[in-house]
Amino acid sequence: MKEKTAKPLLKVENLTVRFPVKRGGLFSKKSYLYAVDDISFEIARGETLAIVGESGSGKSTAALAVARLVKAHSGSVLLGDDDFLSLQDEALRQARAQVQFIFQDPYASLNPRLRAEAVVREPLDSLGTGDPSERQASIDALFKAVGLRPEQQRLFPHQFSGGQRQRIGVARALATRPELIICDEPVSALDVAVQAQILNLLRKLQKDFDLTYLFISHDLGVVQHMCDSVAVMYMGKIVEHADRLSLFNNPLHPYTKALLSAVPSVDKKRRQETKRILIPGDPPDPLSPPNGCRFANRCPAAQEQCSQSQPPLRQIAAGHTVACHLVSDNGIAPI
Amino acid sequence: MKPLLKVDNLRIELTTRDGVAPVIDDLSLQLNAGETLSFVGESGCGKSMTALALMGLLPEGVGRVASGQILFDGEDLTQASDARMREIRGNEISMIFQEPMTSLNPVYTIGEQIAEVLRRHQNLSRQAAWNKAIELLDAVRIPNPGARVSDYPHQMSGGQRQRVMIAIALACEPKILIADEPTTALDVTVQAQIFDLLRDLGRELGTATILITHDMGAVADMAERMIVMYAGRKAEAGPVEQIIEHPRHPYTKGLISCVPHLMATLTEERPELTEVPGIVPSLRDFGRDQCLFASRCDRADDKCKTSRPPEIEFENEQSSACWQAEQLR
């Protein structure tokens, strides 16, 4: 791993996203669902941070908030020196060119009435990057970079396969020469054999263009392959955050352990060594989260203190933080 | 021992705008009582179509069994009447579908939906069927079944709905359970719970399971034997552990190595994933006299493009339809 002395490209501090929820009658009090609850992380230039978690954990909402596609309630998203969340007008337009997004579903995220070249051209035109006369040349280069043929520029999205559509999505994200690309489950809608093509492409582009990825996924195999560090989310909170090797080889939080143990593997050795950690039941109601640890009601190691106070994120080793009362300071996991 | 299910040279044709295409082309397989067999492959390879054929649920007017036999306990299902198929379906062969969100009826309580199967197939009274439904909910480990039985599907989570589907499928203690991607819509921890449940219930009831999936990890976890399907044909078949260790078909090899798997110990090393270039051929190309995988295969030569490889059987019960199967190790 690279030395982390340089300033991080992206620094997210105390990000909170909440949604108003109507419950009960007309005059009942407005309540809020905290989809992302006070999370912080940073990504160094050229690296990949993966956020993993199950559905409802808030990982996608966090990604959308970082890109300002949903409104954050509080917190800051520092891109270099600027707080991306408070930029306005022209400064925002320029910053937007630096942060691009690859969406999950390539069938839904391309405008069916635009030709492939127009899809890729759109961010160039609307964010005004590059000389207009050179735009066609950069579209040609982008198509080449993502492995599409030049004559395919004239086709409409429905004429492409799922993998090719995702390539168009990648080309569109690259169009403005961004520094940060947020990939929200970029391969989960694709067939297994096609997933490998897109994952290899993303890794190659990262090297070629010195890109920084915020990678959202629920597939731990994919995450393991793509990331440099991982943040595990559960009910809007980061419960564990570590570099790739520490998290996968030495997970500390009971939830991380359970998550990893649930992944079926073709590796016989892993199947024999892994003890399945069962977490029965469902997460608690997100509208009224418990006072203590949010995982306590499903945690096989939970003790009394767990349901009384929320465990803070503590640093256990260099670059390894965990939010669990029961992990000892020298890094011994409760289970 | 006589196999519970024996499929011989099954050919299923779909009528499309471009003509008739064989979605299943000369498929043979056997399933023994209590065993778990897995169908693996990308979408569009005919896995689900095989399952629908076994259930007698091929799309009407579009799909038909063109030739071959499906022998279930000695009875040929391709010749069975609609009335007979209705008796078998849900009673002796039942199925769990991929989407637990859409496969339950939203306007009936889950209790009514489980009881319906029991009243139809086992002639239980309304009350007896209702009580049995509560027992079944308990068996699929839904907490507080007595109260949940009157819930509607929208009141349950995805994992719970899939448990209800399993309860419906297993209500009559079928001999065969077909699970068509039962966990793709679910989270991994829920998937693990559903797999545990299927494994335990299968063992208790002696049900044979056909698991349709594209996840090699799930296959390794659940099944004893597997069949890799490609473009409506059997590419490779045999015991799971052997195939994972020594695939004898380039497609199987590709399917295993194109996915980044979690290994026992992770290292700094991250080799490029093996790509299987291109995509599954379109229905128009099905049925050609060539290896249909040839266009995506890095070992393909002229022979592969001009004649269909026969199934070669090896001593260890593995079989592969590849001209170079013997050299592949």
Side-chain angles (χ1 to χ4, degrees):
Chain A
M1 199 184 251
K2 277 176 241 168
E3 202 63 42
K4 274 194 181 167
T5 45
K7 214 165 155 214
L9 177 86
L10 176 77
K11 191 169 182 184
V12 172
E13 280 175 332
N14 309 99
L15 184 69
T16 299
V17 182
R18 61 178 201 182
F19 299 112
V21 183
K22 265 244 164 82
R23 220 184 212 193
L26 183 62
F27 300 107
S28 63
K29 224 178 102 195
K30 213 177 191 181
S31 57
Y32 291 96
L33 187 153
Y34 284 82
V36 176
D37 196 353
D38 192 16
I39 66 169
S40 305
F41 56 83
E42 52 185 63
I43 318 177
R45 185 179 295 273
E47 295 208 341
T48 303
L49 170 74
I51 302 184
V52 299
E54 297 186 282
S55 39
S57 62
K59 57 187 191 305
S60 283
T61 309
L64 291 167
V66 169
R68 272 185 85 163
L69 296 176
V70 300
K71 201 168 169 292
H73 169 63
S74 61
S76 60
V77 174
L78 295 171
L79 255 178
D81 292 322
D82 304 323
D83 182 4
F84 186 49
L85 296 185
S86 58
L87 293 178
Q88 293 295 333
D89 306 327
E90 185 55 30
L92 174 62
R93 241 161 61 110
Q94 283 179 9
R96 278 221 189 272
Q98 297 306 311
V99 183
Q100 288 290 311
F101 215 96
I102 298 173
F103 296 92
Q104 172 171 7
D105 186 352
Y107 293 85
S109 59
L110 301 178
N111 185 338
R113 302 182 61 177
L114 292 185
R115 293 181 194 275
E117 59 181 356
V119 171
V120 179
R121 181 189 287 271
E122 212 175 6
L124 290 173
D125 289 344
S126 61
L127 295 175
T129 21
D131 189 337
S133 61
E134 285 166 12
R135 280 186 193 151
Q136 190 51 47
S138 61
I139 293 169
D140 291 343
L142 285 164
F143 267 70
K144 189 154 175 272
V146 299
L148 291 170
R149 294 191 305 276
E151 67 269 21
Q152 288 174 317
Q153 291 182 16
R154 301 290 298 160
L155 301 179
F156 287 99
H158 74 268
Q159 293 167 297
F160 292 92
S161 69
Q164 288 172 326
R165 283 184 221 205
Q166 198 58 305
R167 287 177 195 268
I168 299 174
V170 173
R172 173 176 62 187
L174 283 174
T176 58
R177 305 266 156 204
E179 294 189 275
L180 175 70
I181 295 189
I182 301 170
C183 313
D184 186 9
E185 307 259 14
V187 296
S188 57
L190 304 175
D191 243 323
V192 274
V194 181
Q195 288 192 3
Q197 300 168 10
I198 298 295
L199 293 176
N200 280 346
L201 174 69
L202 287 173
R203 280 182 46 119
K204 181 176 170 294
L205 293 171
Q206 178 162 40
K207 245 178 271 152
D208 293 352
F209 295 94
D210 194 24
L211 295 169
T212 307
Y213 289 145
L214 176 59
F215 196 92
I216 312 295
S217 180
H218 68 277
D219 185 331
L220 289 150
V222 169
V223 163
Q224 165 275 116
H225 185 73
M226 296 297 291
C227 73
D228 296 299
S229 54
V230 194
V232 182
M233 279 185 78
Y234 185 78
M235 283 192 76
K237 289 255 181 216
I238 291 180
V239 295
E240 185 162 5
H241 187 169
D243 62 275
R244 171 174 173 267
L245 288 186
S246 314
L247 192 109
F248 283 96
N249 289 337
N250 182 29
L252 294 174
H253 198 284
Y255 177 65
T256 315
K257 288 205 156 195
L259 204 57
L260 286 171
S261 81
V263 182
S265 173
V266 296
D267 186 11
K268 205 168 157 191
K269 188 156 163 261
R270 181 180 152 86
R271 278 210 306 284
Q272 284 160 351
E273 282 176 4
T274 313
K275 210 181 129 269
R276 173 79 53 76
I277 296 165
L278 290 175
I279 45 169
D282 293 308
D285 180 7
L287 275 174
S288 48
N291 294 326
C293 172
R294 294 179 181 191
F295 185 56
N297 70 326
R298 303 171 76 193
C299 180
Q303 290 176 5
E304 217 184 309
Q305 55 169 327
C306 299
S307 50
Q308 283 163 359
S309 67
Q310 254 188 52
L313 262 179
R314 286 181 296 145
Q315 180 148 350
I316 300 296
H320 196 156
T321 53
V322 61
C324 175
H325 288 307
L326 305 174
V327 174
S328 71
D329 285 335
N330 50 3
I332 312 251
I335 45 174
Chain B
M1 195 173 69
K2 240 182 86 185
L4 180 62
L5 178 80
K6 191 162 178 288
V7 175
D8 284 326
N9 307 98
L10 184 69
R11 181 182 170 94
I12 297 170
E13 292 180 345
L14 275 194
T15 313
T16 65
R17 259 187 299 183
D18 299 326
V20 174
V23 267
I24 300 296
D25 195 352
D26 197 19
L27 176 76
S28 301
L29 65 95
Q30 294 194 358
L31 178 71
N32 298 319
E35 172 186 53
T36 301
L37 171 71
S38 198
F39 291 166
V40 197
E42 288 170 272
S43 32
C45 283
K47 298 170 295 181
S48 297
M49 212 39 98
T50 313
L52 292 180
L54 297 179
M55 294 284 285
L57 289 175
L58 287 174
E60 222 172 316
V62 181
R64 65 181 195 98
V65 175
S67 63
Q69 285 185 316
I70 301 173
L71 293 171
F72 170 65
D73 254 353
E75 182 183 355
D76 187 359
L77 297 186
T78 60
Q79 306 299 325
S81 66
D82 285 353
R84 176 69 187 129
M85 278 317 291
R86 274 199 297 276
E87 258 172 53
I88 292 173
R89 210 182 292 135
N91 194 19
E92 304 201 61
I93 306 180
S94 55
M95 187 157 171
I96 309 171
F97 297 91
Q98 178 169 359
E99 287 274 332
M101 310 299 160
T102 51
S103 39
L104 288 169
N105 190 332
V107 300
Y108 289 100
T109 63
I110 55 164
E112 284 168 324
Q113 297 187 52
I114 302 172
E116 182 190 359
V117 192
L118 294 160
R119 291 173 57 205
R120 172 75 180 72
H121 287 299
Q122 303 196 333
N123 295 320
L124 292 186
S125 70
R126 199 170 275 272
Q127 188 58 46
W130 187 260
N131 291 340
K132 183 82 195 287
I134 298 175
E135 276 174 43
L136 282 162
L137 281 184
D138 192 41
V140 295
R141 298 173 201 158
I142 287 188
N144 197 5
R148 297 309 298 272
V149 70
S150 343
D151 275 1
Y152 287 91
H154 75 267
Q155 291 167 296
M156 313 197 101
S157 68
Q160 285 173 333
R161 275 182 246 189
Q162 198 59 296
R163 284 164 198 267
V164 172
M165 283 302 295
I166 294 174
I168 293 174
L170 294 178
C172 298
E173 309 196 353
K175 294 190 178 124
I176 301 177
L177 173 69
I178 303 173
D180 187 359
E181 309 242 9
T183 56
T184 24
L186 304 175
D187 281 324
V188 274
T189 55
V190 183
Q191 162 174 298
Q193 292 167 13
I194 297 286
F195 280 168
D196 282 346
L197 184 66
L198 284 175
R199 208 180 291 127
D200 292 353
L201 292 177
R203 209 173 290 146
E204 270 167 44
L205 304 173
T207 306
T209 308
I210 295 178
L211 176 73
I212 300 176
T213 179
H214 57 259
D215 181 354
M216 278 287 176
V219 175
D221 214 23
M222 287 290 289
E224 286 116 42
R225 286 191 305 125
M226 70 190 214
I227 294 178
V228 181
M229 306 251 324
Y230 188 76
R233 298 173 183 176
K234 189 156 64 166
E236 182 163 7
V240 168
E241 296 221 337
Q242 270 178 40
I243 290 188
I244 287 177
E245 228 154 273
H246 292 297
R248 292 269 197 180
H249 194 288
Y251 182 56
T252 318
K253 212 172 175 172
L255 273 187
I256 297 171
S257 55
C258 71
V259 179
H261 294 284
L262 283 184
M263 296 312 230
T265 321
L266 209 62
T267 54
E268 267 311 333
E269 231 172 280
R270 266 181 283 181
E272 284 258 296
L273 296 171
T274 320
E275 286 182 33
V276 184
I279 52 166
V280 180
S282 73
L283 271 181
R284 235 173 307 158
D285 297 322
F286 279 42
R288 289 212 177 138
D289 185 19
Q290 64 163 94
C291 174
L292 291 174
F293 185 62
S295 60
R296 304 173 74 185
C297 180
D298 55 358
R299 306 174 68 104
D301 55 23
D302 286 346
K303 196 175 182 186
C304 305
K305 285 170 190 150
T306 49
S307 62
R308 176 174 173 175
E311 205 175 314
I312 302 166
E313 294 199 20
F314 295 92
E315 279 169 18
N316 57 8
E317 291 176 52
Q318 224 168 312
S319 71
S320 161
C322 173
W323 285 114
Q324 302 175 22
E326 319 239 355
Q327 291 92 297
L328 256 173
R329 284 232 61 139

